Amino acid sequence: MIMELALQKKAQSFRLPVELIERLKKMAKRENRSLNNFVECALLALAYSEPNEETKAAIEEARSGKLQGPLDVSSVEAMYKSMGL
C-alpha cells in the first residue's frame, strides 16, 4: 500500500497591488493553472532555490578562473542576481 503524505496548508491573506494580482492571473492563465497554484509554486521556487555550500564553492571556483578552459556562468549569475544572492 502506498502512503501519500499530505502537506499541511494554512490559509493566509496578503495585500498586494491590484496590478500585480492581474499580472499574476494572466501568467497563471497562460499556464492553465489556478492563481493559487501559480503563486504557491513561485513562492516555493523562491524559498527553496538558495544554493548549498558545495554549489556556492563551485561558483566561486569558476569565477576565480582556477578551472581549465572557459566556463560560461552568466546564466547562473543572472539567476542568483535576480534572487538577490
Side-chain angles (χ1 to χ4, degrees), residues 13-52:
S13 178
F14 290 96
R15 293 180 188 183
L16 300 171
V18 172
E19 296 83 15
L20 176 58
I21 295 291
E22 293 306 315
R23 183 178 177 100
L24 291 170
K25 283 180 181 179
K26 288 178 184 176
M27 294 170 75
K29 186 175 183 176
R30 279 196 302 259
E31 295 186 17
N32 295 315
R33 296 162 61 189
S34 68
L35 176 62
N36 186 78
N37 176 263
F38 184 81
V39 171
E40 180 181 1
C41 289
L43 292 173
L44 282 168
L46 178 65
Y48 294 103
S49 64
E50 184 173 340
N52 62 26

Side-chain angles (χ1 to χ4, degrees), residues 47-77:
Y48 294 103
S49 64
E50 184 173 340
N52 62 26
E53 294 306 313
E54 183 180 356
T55 302
K56 289 178 185 178
I59 291 169
E60 286 307 312
E61 181 181 7
R63 287 179 179 157
S64 73
K66 293 179 185 176
L67 297 175
Q68 293 183 353
L71 180 64
D72 182 6
V73 294
S74 60
S75 62
V76 175
E77 289 177 338

